[in-house]
Amino acid sequence: MRISTLPSANLSSSTFLLTGFPGLEWAHHWISLPIFVRYLMALLGNVTILYLLRTDPSLHQPMYYFLAMLAVTDLGLCTSMLPSVLGVLWFDARMVGLVPCVLQQHFLHSFSFMESAVLFEMALDHLVAIFPLCYASVLTGPRVALAAVVLGMSAVSTAAPSLHLVKFDYCHPGTLSHAYCLHQDTIRLACSDTPFNRLYGLCIIMLAMGSDVLFILLSCTAFLHTVLAIASAGERLKALNTCISHILAVLCFCVPVLGLSIVHRCGCHTSPLVHILMGTVSVLFPPLMNPVIYSIKTQQIRRAIFKVVSPGKMLHSWDLPRSNFPDSRYRKMFNSSQFTPKYFQLTGLPGLEALYPWFIFPFCSTYLVALVGNSLILAVIKKNISLHQPMYLFLAMLACAELGISASTLPTVLGIFIFGTSNICFEKACLLQMFSIHSFSIMESGVLLAMSVDRFVAIYNPLRYTAIMTLPSTAGTSALLGLKGVILMLPLPFLLKRLPFCGHNVLSHSYCLHSDLIQLPCGNTRPNSILGLCIVTSTFGLDSLFIIISYVLILYTVLGITSREGWRKALNTCVSISCHICVVLVYYVPMINVALVHCFMKHAAPAVRLLLANVYLLVPPVLNPIIDSVKTKQIRHGLIQIFL
């Protein structure tokens, strides 16, 4: 349903039209995906915070009660907006009645006022916490509960006059400028006398959010003044750390609102898309980020999440360091199965544990870029029929392999750096992760070889290219490459499972690799080592060798061309070849660096080895979509069609 198809004469005074993303109606389903995912993340994060605060007695303190109020407010804020937004994006349901519209804007403004007030109360809580002797007597449980009730009632009563909008007459074209109802958006459509409502709305903004922000600044200033007066540097740092999460939450709330206000007042000639995007961000961003901030920056919340994720963790003999484990003479007195650990301990970056919170953002950003980039490559190739060619089908398979590698390493890497979860179940998780990582790596190496052969055929015999590289042969090659990794890796988990580990359970990476696991057993590992060496030689070794041979043949063929037309066609093909060479280098250079460090730099810091290993698995999935987008014109055009 479009505005042009709905004459204003057919719209009653009690009906409004919501606005999605003008000019991008065809992409509404794609736009709805990140919005819906953000809502699910906000819902999951805030519900998790509420569950932890309810079930963990150690969190029954004023600070966490205010955090629970903030989570409830965030849930109400994003839930109030979601139905109309998804209705517009999914079903083009743009018509909304006057009463639902007034109720929605009432709830949106009420929860916004409440969130602003809760942030102010949290600022006061941090200020009082500097004086620990009087903290428990000032902020008691009944007083916090009373403050919660007062905040809720004041927010509802403050926004209550907006309910009188149902009594107004609306004679202007009933098109709102967002996909949800706001007071300032609805009041401009009324033909009744509205100066009082406009003045009341301005006063409410100034007295509620304006005064809250002012008092928050004053509280933070007083807090900073008090902290700087502390003589001990360690105590100053500890006090500042308690306030960082609240400062970030305030910024997440105020910065989008401030940006939206600036755009509305100073960006009158900017695109409507900017206004709509800023409005959506100002509502969805705080509920999404607040649980993340408090999970990362608050140690008690992290510990509570760890208890939920890994319940019933007990200290077993395999949790001890190897040096404390019984010697071989003592082990012979027991069955070796008693010393096979159920859990293995992963390793992050040794010696840099204090900096883990700073590694969270680059790791999360890297994974996000890899997942989004490769997903976009798959979407472009699927949508554009002109890209249904062998070269791009191999590129799609490469994207699938990189998505598989990223998804295989993501849980344990982020588990270590975000939640400090270093334990992994050997049979249920570690062996499966090892199998997935190596299978997708073998598949990626094989796809790179297939792409080099494809380019060689395109240059060596262009007239027969379409007859040789048909879609059935490409599909068969892709299936064989996928099966090759699965078949070659299938015996290794079973061979590892039968070995006794004698209590050794500390791995040297943040994920499970066969080369890492094979060093821990105390039994005969020769079959595993021989099979692992054969797999590496027959896959990565032969693939890299054949890739080099194919490029030597390509160079020989190009140098043997004499006609100008042949040179022109060869150069056009070389553009895609240069893209493939960059992809090959991105894949093999980190692998070679890891091998060189392991062989010739045995005394290097463990953090250096682990960092290179993470680069080896994370960099190709991030850079390959960028290379394909920059170097391949067809992919660029496909991406432009999706976004524009």
Side-chain angles (χ1 to χ4, degrees):
M1 189 178 297
R2 300 289 182 266
I3 298 177
S4 59
T5 64
L6 291 171
S8 60
N10 295 333
L11 292 174
S12 67
S13 61
S14 60
T15 304
F16 299 104
L17 284 178
L18 300 173
T19 301
F21 289 83
L24 295 177
E25 289 82 1
W26 60 271
H28 273 180
H29 289 88
W30 293 99
I31 297 172
S32 68
L33 182 60
I35 293 178
F36 185 63
V37 170
R38 284 190 175 190
Y39 171 73
L40 288 181
M41 294 174 63
L43 180 66
L44 178 63
N46 287 285
V47 169
T48 302
I49 293 293
L50 290 174
Y51 174 78
L52 295 175
L53 298 180
R54 181 180 181 275
T55 57
D56 195 335
S58 64
L59 301 180
H60 294 175
Q61 303 175 24
M63 169 185 173
Y64 301 108
Y65 291 148
F66 288 124
L67 181 57
M69 294 167 56
L70 186 66
V72 171
T73 305
D74 286 336
L75 285 174
L77 192 62
C78 57
T79 304
S80 301
M81 183 199 75
L82 187 74
S84 60
V85 173
L86 293 186
V88 171
L89 298 180
W90 283 354
F91 311 111
D92 202 18
R94 300 178 56 198
M95 295 183 64
V96 60
L98 175 61
V99 173
C101 184
V102 171
L103 287 176
Q104 185 185 43
Q105 57 95 11
H106 172 72
F107 283 117
L108 281 174
H109 292 304
S110 297
F111 283 118
S112 297
F113 294 152
M114 185 174 175
E115 181 160 4
S116 176
V118 170
L119 291 173
F120 168 59
E121 293 290 341
M122 295 176 75
L124 290 180
D125 173 77
H126 284 86
L127 183 61
V128 176
I130 300 179
F131 308 99
L133 296 179
C134 61
Y135 178 78
S137 59
V138 173
L139 289 173
T140 60
R143 288 181 179 177
V144 174
L146 179 62
V149 174
V150 171
L151 289 179
M153 294 181 63
S154 62
V156 173
S157 59
T158 300
S162 64
L163 296 175
H164 289 287
L165 291 174
V166 296
K167 299 181 179 180
F168 287 3
D169 294 325
Y170 298 89
C171 53
H172 298 289
T175 302
L176 303 177
S177 59
H178 293 84
Y180 46 88
C181 299
L182 295 175
H183 179 268
Q184 65 269 25
D185 211 6
T186 309
I187 197 68
R188 66 181 178 83
L189 301 180
C191 53
S192 304
D193 189 19
T194 60
F196 171 76
N197 296 72
R198 296 177 185 272
L199 182 62
Y200 180 79
L202 180 62
C203 293
I204 289 299
I205 293 294
M206 296 298 296
L207 294 176
M209 293 188 177
S211 61
D212 288 341
V213 172
L214 177 62
F215 288 138
I216 289 173
L217 291 175
L218 293 176
S219 300
C220 290
T221 302
F223 177 86
L224 185 62
H225 176 74
T226 306
V227 168
L228 293 178
I230 299 176
S232 172
E235 292 297 325
R236 285 200 303 269
L237 183 61
K238 183 179 179 180
L240 288 174
N241 284 333
T242 60
C243 193
I244 288 178
S245 55
H246 179 253
I247 293 175
L248 293 176
V250 172
L251 292 176
C252 286
F253 178 75
C254 294
V255 171
V257 173
L258 180 61
L260 180 63
S261 301
I262 293 174
V263 168
H264 271 287
R265 285 163 177 76
C266 305
C268 299
H269 301 290
T270 58
S271 171
L273 288 175
V274 177
H275 294 258
I276 294 171
L277 187 62
M278 289 295 297
T280 305
V281 169
S282 66
V283 177
L284 279 181
F285 189 68
L288 173 66
M289 293 304 300
N290 287 341
V292 178
I293 291 170
Y294 283 100
S295 300
I296 293 173
K297 299 299 294 182
T298 307
Q299 187 180 24
Q300 293 83 349
I301 300 292
R302 288 203 307 271
R303 289 178 178 175
I305 293 175
F306 178 74
K307 290 179 182 178
V308 173
V309 174
S310 301
K313 182 181 180 297
M314 299 177 63
L315 183 64
H316 297 279
S317 59
W318 50 80
D319 289 319
L320 298 173
R322 294 187 192 179
S323 59
N324 296 334
F325 202 81
D327 58 21
S328 59
R329 291 176 298 175
Y330 184 75
R331 290 179 192 148
K332 293 178 182 179
M333 299 172 59
F334 297 90
N335 187 350
S336 62
S337 62
Q338 296 176 351
F339 294 94
T340 300
K342 182 179 179 181
Y343 292 95
F344 277 65
Q345 185 176 350
L346 301 171
T347 302
L349 295 175
L352 300 177
E353 288 80 3
L355 300 178
Y356 277 4
W358 299 101
F359 286 104
I360 293 173
F361 179 75
F363 273 108
C364 290
S365 302
T366 301
Y367 276 115
L368 184 62
V369 171
L371 296 175
V372 173
N374 287 285
S375 299
L376 285 175
I377 294 294
L378 291 175
V380 168
I381 295 174
K382 180 179 182 295
K383 182 179 179 181
N384 292 290
I385 301 178
S386 61
L387 299 182
H388 293 178
Q389 303 175 22
M391 170 184 170
Y392 301 107
L393 294 180
F394 286 132
L395 184 58
M397 194 169 181
L398 183 67
C400 289
E402 289 168 346
L403 283 173
I405 292 176
S406 299
S408 300
T409 59
L410 177 68
T412 54
V413 173
L414 295 188
I416 289 175
F417 288 99
I418 295 180
F419 305 115
T421 309
S422 59
N423 286 353
I424 182 172
C425 181
F426 174 60
E427 294 184 359
K428 295 181 180 179
C430 188
L431 291 179
L432 179 61
Q433 186 184 46
M434 178 204 75
F435 176 80
S436 300
I437 291 175
H438 290 303
S439 297
F440 283 116
S441 297
I442 292 172
M443 177 180 169
E444 184 170 5
S445 178
V447 171
L448 292 175
L449 173 59
M451 294 174 73
S452 65
V453 173
D454 172 78
R455 294 299 85 200
F456 169 69
V457 174
I459 284 206
Y460 181 74
N461 201 341
L463 298 178
R464 295 194 59 202
Y465 175 76
T466 55
I468 296 174
M469 303 298 295
T470 61
L471 290 181
S473 64
T474 303
T477 303
S478 302
L480 288 176
L481 291 175
L483 286 174
K484 183 180 75 170
V486 173
I487 294 173
L488 289 176
M489 286 301 303
L490 193 59
L492 290 180
F494 297 100
L495 291 175
L496 278 171
K497 194 175 179 180
R498 68 176 180 83
L499 293 172
F501 283 82
C502 303
H504 297 167
N505 74 322
V506 181
L507 301 176
S508 59
H509 294 85
S510 51
Y511 37 80
C512 296
L513 297 176
H514 181 263
S515 56
D516 211 5
L517 288 168
I518 200 62
Q519 299 178 10
L520 300 181
C522 52
N524 183 17
T525 61
R526 180 169 295 180
N528 300 67
S529 300
I530 293 175
L531 180 58
L533 180 61
C534 292
I535 291 174
V536 171
T537 305
S538 61
T539 54
F540 301 105
L542 289 180
D543 289 346
S544 59
L545 177 62
F546 287 137
I547 289 173
I548 294 174
I549 292 174
S550 64
Y551 277 112
V552 171
L553 294 176
I554 288 173
L555 182 61
Y556 177 78
T557 304
V558 170
L559 294 178
I561 297 175
T562 55
S563 65
R564 179 173 298 181
E565 183 67 17
W567 267 97
R568 187 183 64 80
K569 292 181 178 179
L571 288 175
N572 289 334
T573 308
C574 285
V575 173
S576 60
I577 291 176
S578 64
C579 175
H580 182 252
I581 291 175
C582 293
V583 173
V584 171
L585 292 176
V586 166
Y587 180 74
Y588 281 103
V589 168
M591 181 192 294
I592 294 172
N593 287 335
V594 172
L596 291 175
V597 169
H598 275 282
C599 293
F600 301 106
M601 297 179 64
K602 295 183 178 180
H603 299 290
V608 175
R609 301 185 185 185
L610 293 171
L611 190 60
L612 286 175
N614 287 323
V615 167
Y616 160 60
L617 287 181
L618 289 179
V619 167
V622 172
L623 291 184
N624 286 345
I626 299 175
I627 293 171
D628 296 329
S629 303
V630 173
K631 301 291 291 183
T632 308
K633 182 171 66 174
Q634 292 83 350
I635 299 294
R636 286 202 308 272
H637 289 170
L639 290 173
I640 292 173
Q641 289 176 3
I642 287 181
F643 290 106
L644 298 179

